[in-house]
Amino acid sequence: MSPERYQRIRQVLERRQTDLTVCLENVHKPHNVSAVVRTCDAVGIHRVHTVWEKKYQFRRGTAMGSQQWVRQTNHDNINDAMAELKGQGMQVLVTHLSDTAVDFRDIDYTKPTAILFGQEKYGASDEAKAIADQDIVIPMMGMVQSLNVSVAAALVLYEAQRQRTIAGMYNTQQLPEEECQALAFQNGYP
Ligand code: SAM
């Protein structure tokens, strides 16, 4: 690996936001999973959480396969996922098309935050909605009821990125140095 490539990997790892994450609940179409994870990488998310109920479990180990830059934790069910995220002190936001949901731009994403995106057809589960701290919505002014899940993820994550950039959060390394070094080595250094 060239020194330039190593520097590039280090720069990426040093900007990773360990206290910002996404949880995909039964999002199962490979192109959607892939597109969301690509956006996660682009905004500096280090780890993505996934929950696939039985009929979608064929996704385990396949949909995320090529996304070597973003770590994945798969949970057996949504309750486990939510418990872990809340246990890490995250505010858990569920993207949901409801009248009571808050406009996604009115949220403070500089707080430790997990954002849940729901299944392509049915959206987030009732369990997820019940446990989440807040429903958030991307206002819709047209005839269609909802956006594609990967488009919705991009909009919310770039609002989080915007706020975190202003707050200077990309200027401070969050990943422990040992983990940075281990990951750089895992990815082919030297
Ligand atoms: N009928 C489903 C529902 O009522 O939730 C639509 C699911 S939508 C196609 C798939 C996912 O994209 C949702 O679970 C949510 O995560 C996200 N999404 C799409 N449009 C959204 C919007 N306008 N506001 C918030 N989330 C949205």
Side-chain angles (χ1 to χ4, degrees):
M1 181 190 289
S2 67
E4 293 77 22
R5 173 95 175 136
Y6 177 67
Q7 277 315 316
R8 170 105 183 91
I9 292 173
R10 283 292 316 201
Q11 196 185 39
V12 166
L13 292 171
E14 285 164 19
R15 289 191 296 219
R16 281 308 201 221
Q17 305 287 295
T18 54
D19 62 351
L20 177 65
T21 190
V22 154
C23 180
L24 298 180
E25 186 189 27
N26 293 319
V27 176
H28 62 285
K29 295 188 177 166
H31 59 275
N32 285 337
V33 177
S34 221
V36 174
V37 176
R38 192 171 175 150
T39 303
C40 288
D41 174 54
V43 303
I45 285 180
H46 180 57
R47 181 173 295 279
V48 162
H49 295 258
T50 51
V51 181
W52 287 304
E53 67 187 56
K54 257 199 170 61
K55 63 181 166 191
Y56 302 123
Q57 280 183 4
F58 63 97
R59 287 291 165 232
R60 278 185 199 222
T62 56
M64 301 271 300
S66 60
Q67 311 295 337
Q68 63 169 331
W69 298 109
V70 179
R71 310 285 109 180
Q72 181 201 1
T73 300
N74 188 63
H75 301 271
D76 290 334
N77 57 65
I78 191 65
N79 292 318
D80 288 358
M82 299 293 244
E84 179 169 329
L85 296 168
K86 287 199 162 188
Q88 290 173 13
M90 305 240 181
Q91 61 170 341
V92 179
L93 310 172
V94 59
T95 50
H96 177 223
L97 299 131
S98 82
D99 294 340
T100 54
V102 167
D103 185 314
F104 77 106
R105 293 162 293 197
D106 292 339
I107 297 290
D108 179 0
Y109 296 96
T110 62
K111 292 182 183 167
T113 301
I115 309 155
L116 184 137
F117 296 92
Q119 204 251 17
E120 285 89 344
K121 188 166 180 190
Y122 302 109
S125 66
D126 290 341
E127 290 97 313
K129 287 180 244 169
I131 305 168
D133 297 304
Q134 181 67 62
D135 292 3
I136 58 169
V137 68
I138 302 160
M140 304 288 293
M141 308 297 173
M143 292 295 286
V144 293
Q145 195 211 1
S146 63
L147 298 167
N148 169 277
V149 63
S150 67
V151 173
L155 289 168
V156 178
L157 290 175
Y158 266 87
E159 173 60 15
Q161 190 256 21
R162 187 187 71 81
Q163 292 186 15
R164 283 175 173 244
T165 300
I166 292 169
M169 293 175 78
Y170 291 94
N171 302 331
T172 308
Q173 182 177 324
Q174 292 189 5
L175 266 181
E177 180 53 27
E178 313 76 66
E179 197 175 346
C180 263
Q181 285 184 17
L183 286 168
F185 273 94
Q186 259 177 36
N187 286 293
Y189 175 80

